[in-house]
mmCIF file of all heavy atoms in Angstrom:
data_model
loop_
_atom_site.group_PDB
_atom_site.id
_atom_site.type_symbol
_atom_site.label_atom_id
_atom_site.label_comp_id
_atom_site.label_asym_id
_atom_site.label_seq_id
_atom_site.Cartn_x
_atom_site.Cartn_y
_atom_site.Cartn_z
ATOM 1 N N GLY A 380 -6.549 24.961 57.687
ATOM 2 C CA GLY A 380 -5.240 24.726 58.209
ATOM 3 C C GLY A 380 -4.288 24.115 57.274
ATOM 4 O O GLY A 380 -3.181 23.824 57.571
ATOM 5 N N GLU A 381 -4.821 24.010 55.934
ATOM 6 C CA GLU A 381 -3.968 23.434 54.916
ATOM 7 C C GLU A 381 -3.259 24.369 54.148
ATOM 8 O O GLU A 381 -3.681 24.713 53.014
ATOM 9 C CB GLU A 381 -4.733 22.427 54.055
ATOM 10 C CG GLU A 381 -5.398 21.271 54.808
ATOM 11 C CD GLU A 381 -4.423 20.260 55.129
ATOM 12 O OE1 GLU A 381 -3.266 20.207 54.565
ATOM 13 O OE2 GLU A 381 -4.789 19.353 55.890
ATOM 14 N N PHE A 382 -2.255 25.094 54.629
ATOM 15 C CA PHE A 382 -1.619 26.340 54.155
ATOM 16 C C PHE A 382 -0.858 26.157 52.947
ATOM 17 O O PHE A 382 -0.737 27.038 51.996
ATOM 18 C CB PHE A 382 -0.924 27.199 55.307
ATOM 19 C CG PHE A 382 -1.780 27.576 56.371
ATOM 20 C CD1 PHE A 382 -1.752 26.940 57.595
ATOM 21 C CD2 PHE A 382 -2.535 28.746 56.179
ATOM 22 C CE1 PHE A 382 -2.530 27.430 58.604
ATOM 23 C CE2 PHE A 382 -3.420 29.224 57.249
ATOM 24 C CZ PHE A 382 -3.374 28.559 58.470
ATOM 25 N N ASP A 383 -0.257 24.922 52.792
ATOM 26 C CA ASP A 383 0.558 24.729 51.564
ATOM 27 C C ASP A 383 -0.404 24.645 50.433
ATOM 28 O O ASP A 383 -0.094 25.103 49.249
ATOM 29 C CB ASP A 383 1.382 23.432 51.716
ATOM 30 C CG ASP A 383 2.559 23.486 52.543
ATOM 31 O OD1 ASP A 383 3.002 24.701 52.932
ATOM 32 O OD2 ASP A 383 2.959 22.532 53.231
ATOM 33 N N LEU A 384 -1.651 23.797 50.637
ATOM 34 C CA LEU A 384 -2.575 23.644 49.488
ATOM 35 C C LEU A 384 -3.108 25.184 49.257
ATOM 36 O O LEU A 384 -3.498 25.518 48.106
ATOM 37 C CB LEU A 384 -3.610 22.832 49.874
ATOM 38 C CG LEU A 384 -3.312 21.303 49.704
ATOM 39 C CD1 LEU A 384 -4.411 20.496 50.257
ATOM 40 C CD2 LEU A 384 -3.047 20.890 48.163
ATOM 41 N N ALA A 385 -3.313 25.919 50.279
ATOM 42 C CA ALA A 385 -3.846 27.308 50.056
ATOM 43 C C ALA A 385 -2.917 28.168 49.279
ATOM 44 O O ALA A 385 -3.367 28.780 48.242
ATOM 45 C CB ALA A 385 -4.029 27.892 51.490
ATOM 46 N N GLU A 386 -1.611 28.127 49.444
ATOM 47 C CA GLU A 386 -0.743 28.808 48.636
ATOM 48 C C GLU A 386 -0.686 28.440 47.258
ATOM 49 O O GLU A 386 -0.714 29.208 46.255
ATOM 50 C CB GLU A 386 0.829 28.747 49.126
ATOM 51 C CG GLU A 386 0.961 29.577 50.553
ATOM 52 C CD GLU A 386 2.395 29.613 50.848
ATOM 53 O OE1 GLU A 386 3.167 30.251 50.072
ATOM 54 O OE2 GLU A 386 2.832 29.182 51.982
ATOM 55 N N PHE A 387 -0.916 27.052 47.043
ATOM 56 C CA PHE A 387 -0.866 26.525 45.675
ATOM 57 C C PHE A 387 -2.149 27.137 44.948
ATOM 58 O O PHE A 387 -1.907 27.466 43.796
ATOM 59 C CB PHE A 387 -1.008 24.946 45.707
ATOM 60 C CG PHE A 387 -1.345 24.388 44.397
ATOM 61 C CD1 PHE A 387 -0.286 24.238 43.456
ATOM 62 C CD2 PHE A 387 -2.496 23.935 44.098
ATOM 63 C CE1 PHE A 387 -0.476 23.474 42.248
ATOM 64 C CE2 PHE A 387 -2.768 23.343 42.866
ATOM 65 C CZ PHE A 387 -1.810 23.239 41.949
ATOM 66 N N HIS A 388 -3.298 27.305 45.509
ATOM 67 C CA HIS A 388 -4.357 27.661 44.836
ATOM 68 C C HIS A 388 -4.351 29.192 44.648
ATOM 69 O O HIS A 388 -5.019 29.740 43.642
ATOM 70 C CB HIS A 388 -5.646 27.103 45.399
ATOM 71 C CG HIS A 388 -5.876 25.599 45.002
ATOM 72 N ND1 HIS A 388 -6.316 25.394 43.885
ATOM 73 C CD2 HIS A 388 -5.692 24.534 45.699
ATOM 74 C CE1 HIS A 388 -6.453 23.925 43.762
ATOM 75 N NE2 HIS A 388 -5.972 23.486 44.914
ATOM 76 N N PHE A 389 -3.808 29.875 45.657
ATOM 77 C CA PHE A 389 -3.582 31.296 45.379
ATOM 78 C C PHE A 389 -2.713 31.607 44.168
ATOM 79 O O PHE A 389 -2.951 32.468 43.285
ATOM 80 C CB PHE A 389 -3.076 31.991 46.653
ATOM 81 C CG PHE A 389 -3.979 32.324 47.714
ATOM 82 C CD1 PHE A 389 -3.775 31.808 49.026
ATOM 83 C CD2 PHE A 389 -5.103 33.066 47.462
ATOM 84 C CE1 PHE A 389 -4.676 32.043 49.969
ATOM 85 C CE2 PHE A 389 -5.939 33.273 48.533
ATOM 86 C CZ PHE A 389 -5.787 32.833 49.883
ATOM 87 N N GLU A 390 -1.720 30.742 44.062
ATOM 88 C CA GLU A 390 -0.739 30.804 42.815
ATOM 89 C C GLU A 390 -1.518 30.548 41.575
ATOM 90 O O GLU A 390 -1.388 31.125 40.548
ATOM 91 C CB GLU A 390 0.500 30.003 42.987
ATOM 92 C CG GLU A 390 1.426 30.476 44.072
ATOM 93 C CD GLU A 390 2.212 31.723 43.721
ATOM 94 O OE1 GLU A 390 1.902 32.287 42.597
ATOM 95 O OE2 GLU A 390 3.040 32.160 44.639
ATOM 96 N N GLN A 391 -2.442 29.404 41.682
ATOM 97 C CA GLN A 391 -3.234 29.050 40.553
ATOM 98 C C GLN A 391 -4.048 30.289 39.999
ATOM 99 O O GLN A 391 -4.275 30.544 38.862
ATOM 100 C CB GLN A 391 -4.019 27.856 40.657
ATOM 101 C CG GLN A 391 -3.209 26.594 41.023
ATOM 102 C CD GLN A 391 -2.681 26.209 39.645
ATOM 103 O OE1 GLN A 391 -1.445 26.316 39.288
ATOM 104 N NE2 GLN A 391 -3.454 25.572 38.680
ATOM 105 N N SER A 392 -4.741 30.808 41.019
ATOM 106 C CA SER A 392 -5.652 31.880 40.607
ATOM 107 C C SER A 392 -4.986 33.108 40.028
ATOM 108 O O SER A 392 -5.456 33.710 39.093
ATOM 109 C CB SER A 392 -6.403 32.418 41.983
ATOM 110 O OG SER A 392 -5.552 33.026 42.744
ATOM 111 N N LEU A 393 -3.681 33.357 40.478
ATOM 112 C CA LEU A 393 -2.898 34.369 39.766
ATOM 113 C C LEU A 393 -2.419 34.110 38.425
ATOM 114 O O LEU A 393 -2.318 34.873 37.571
ATOM 115 C CB LEU A 393 -1.662 34.710 40.754
ATOM 116 C CG LEU A 393 -2.034 35.490 42.088
ATOM 117 C CD1 LEU A 393 -0.938 35.392 43.084
ATOM 118 C CD2 LEU A 393 -2.535 36.886 41.775
ATOM 119 N N GLN A 394 -2.015 32.805 38.246
ATOM 120 C CA GLN A 394 -1.669 32.420 36.937
ATOM 121 C C GLN A 394 -2.730 32.490 35.836
ATOM 122 O O GLN A 394 -2.484 32.776 34.776
ATOM 123 C CB GLN A 394 -1.002 31.051 37.031
ATOM 124 C CG GLN A 394 0.334 30.722 37.657
ATOM 125 C CD GLN A 394 0.823 29.442 37.617
ATOM 126 O OE1 GLN A 394 0.352 28.536 36.941
ATOM 127 N NE2 GLN A 394 1.683 28.998 38.683
ATOM 128 N N LEU A 395 -3.977 32.332 36.367
ATOM 129 C CA LEU A 395 -5.029 32.236 35.472
ATOM 130 C C LEU A 395 -5.416 33.651 34.960
ATOM 131 O O LEU A 395 -5.895 33.865 33.914
ATOM 132 C CB LEU A 395 -6.227 31.574 36.019
ATOM 133 C CG LEU A 395 -6.161 29.961 36.219
ATOM 134 C CD1 LEU A 395 -7.211 29.384 37.154
ATOM 135 C CD2 LEU A 395 -6.248 29.363 34.797
#
Side-chain angles (χ1 to χ4, degrees):
E381 300 286 347
F382 293 101
D383 290 337
L384 282 173
E386 287 194 57
F387 170 79
H388 283 285
F389 280 126
E390 291 289 4
Q391 287 292 102
S392 68
L393 289 165
Q394 288 179 22
L395 289 168

